[in-house]
Amino acid sequence: MENMFRLSNGQATAKRLKTDSEDYKACANECITLHLFDPSTSSSWPPSGVTGSFKPEFTHQIFGDDEEIVGYKGLAVDIYFSQADFQACVEIAFEDKAYGATDILSTFQEHFPGGLTTNKQQFLTVTTQQAGAPLQNLGSPLSIPGVRKGLSITQANLAEGSQEFKALHERLQPFLLFFIDGASFIDAADPKWELLLATEHQAGQNVVVGFCTLYTFYAYPDTRRFRLSQILVLPPFQHKGIGACLLRAAYVMADKCNAVDVTFEDPTDTLQSLRDLIDLQRAMDCAWLQSAAEQVAAAWQTADPAASVGNSSSVRTASGTKALADAQKQLHISQQQARRTWEAVLYAQPKVRTDAGLATLAQLVRRRIEGNSASVKKQAETKRVFDVAHQGFIMRKCKGKMPLLPGNGIPVAMENDEQTPEEAEQALTEALTARITSLDAQLAKLGILKR
């Protein structure tokens, strides 16, 4: 871009122009580009050894809900990350700048706890010195079943990790804001946080390609449970099975300490699909679970599909109930996830993929969806939103039903938000159809079904 101002030290001359002009507004997602580069092959600016360039998916947590930067014409923002240790340098270029423009550098620096510089020469000098230096003290290596050659997963407690480990995590955190909607930074001093780090051997050195954070909860009487909070594979390395390896690593951790389960915090549809696939793969490796599924499939062949509606005895069998409980315990998954996995294991049985079997499976899925909806509604009915002076709105869990009176807050679940019976049935039918479609996709990926 010719005849442009380049911001190298956070200063630029501004003209008194209107910032509400469309020419002086830019979508942050479009004008920002993130770059990974190999410092061992980059001695001049811009770095020549770029291994990946990509746009952010989200910037609202940095630049507000509109994801807009105002006051610049022809704006281009490039952030370079050294893949050796993720030190970062930003270059801000524009054709013209208006008075009152967004302070891009200061805004960024608030969200880069590991530092963000504009001094390009100093940045190149430091990163070049770090080039080729092996990443050290990244935690304990985990043995992951099926991990491909060159990929490694390490695990460490953030509070107890080395200074190098903590510094690296700090410099990785901004990626969460760019690629996870609603992400927030975690308190690395909290001893309950565990970090899984995925590295790949490239050109004689290990490069960080993804990471995952887990929060530890106490579980009575003497064990624990994990909640997967954040998981991110950097864009240049996605669709290579790295996310799956990180999920498997979480289950390896659960196996090592005999944790009750690994739960997920607000998983996206994509993450839930990956979770379902990994859990199904693990379940298919359990011979005892396959045997139980075969018994249930055989029993369903003699069941009357019409009689199965609302009849739990025709949907559930003794062997199925025990298998469900055992799978939940052995696979370290929640009760809800165990039901989803059991449905997939059953669907993998050829005898279930018959008219009689599918009718009964549909009832099993229906019971789970209805039960989950009822549970969510029950929890929502106990929650109310209160307007607290000078503090905004807070949500509280209340005991029993409270009348709609001043001071009693607003119910999260309002009666006028409820669906009609017809709407509820239609939504349930759509959910059932979507579930069967997803099961087809899972089995196809595992080579059990041909699409």
Side-chain angles (χ1 to χ4, degrees), residues 31-84:
C31 69
I32 297 173
T33 306
L34 311 177
H35 309 271
L36 289 179
F37 75 97
D38 180 357
S40 66
T41 61
S42 304
S43 57
S44 60
W45 195 268
S48 57
V50 173
T51 56
S53 297
F54 42 93
K55 297 289 186 180
E57 292 185 17
F58 306 104
T59 53
H60 60 86
Q61 294 175 108
I62 301 175
F63 292 104
D65 292 343
D66 292 335
E67 298 184 321
E68 193 173 70
I69 300 175
V70 300
Y72 300 88
K73 183 178 181 180
L75 178 64
V77 180
D78 293 273
I79 307 178
Y80 292 86
F81 295 88
S82 165
Q83 67 180 26

Side-chain angles (χ1 to χ4, degrees), residues 376-439:
V376 171
K377 180 181 177 182
K378 185 177 180 180
Q379 291 182 27
E381 287 174 345
T382 64
K383 297 176 182 177
R384 294 210 169 201
V385 176
F386 294 83
D387 185 1
V388 180
H390 310 299
Q391 296 184 34
F393 293 93
I394 63 171
M395 183 183 295
R396 291 177 181 170
K397 189 172 182 179
C398 305
K399 293 184 178 180
K401 292 186 177 181
M402 298 171 62
L404 287 173
L405 297 174
N408 282 356
I410 302 172
V412 172
M414 297 292 289
E415 289 185 0
N416 58 5
D417 289 335
E418 294 184 357
Q419 294 176 313
T420 64
E422 293 77 13
E423 291 173 335
E425 185 61 30
Q426 177 62 28
L428 184 57
T429 300
E430 292 175 357
L432 285 170
T433 302
R435 179 57 175 154
I436 296 300
T437 301
S438 71
L439 291 176

Side-chain angles (χ1 to χ4, degrees), residues 18 24 58 94 97-98 135 152-153 227 253 261 265 275 279 347 379 388 437 441:
K18 292 184 178 180
Y24 285 79
F58 306 104
F94 48 87
K97 181 178 179 181
L135 292 171
S152 302
I153 308 291
R227 176 179 293 169
M253 285 182 59
D261 55 22
E265 182 178 335
R275 177 191 190 185
D279 288 343
Y347 191 66
Q379 291 182 27
V388 180
T437 301

Side-chain angles (χ1 to χ4, degrees), residues 155-160 186-195 213-219 224-229 253:
Q155 171 263 327
N157 181 278
L158 269 176
E160 299 174 359
I186 63 177
D187 180 8
D190 187 338
K192 294 182 179 180
W193 282 111
E194 301 284 341
L195 179 67
T213 55
L214 298 159
Y215 195 75
T216 307
F217 292 89
Y218 165 74
R224 67 187 76 176
R225 61 198 332 152
F226 293 115
R227 176 179 293 169
L228 192 148
S229 176
M253 285 182 59

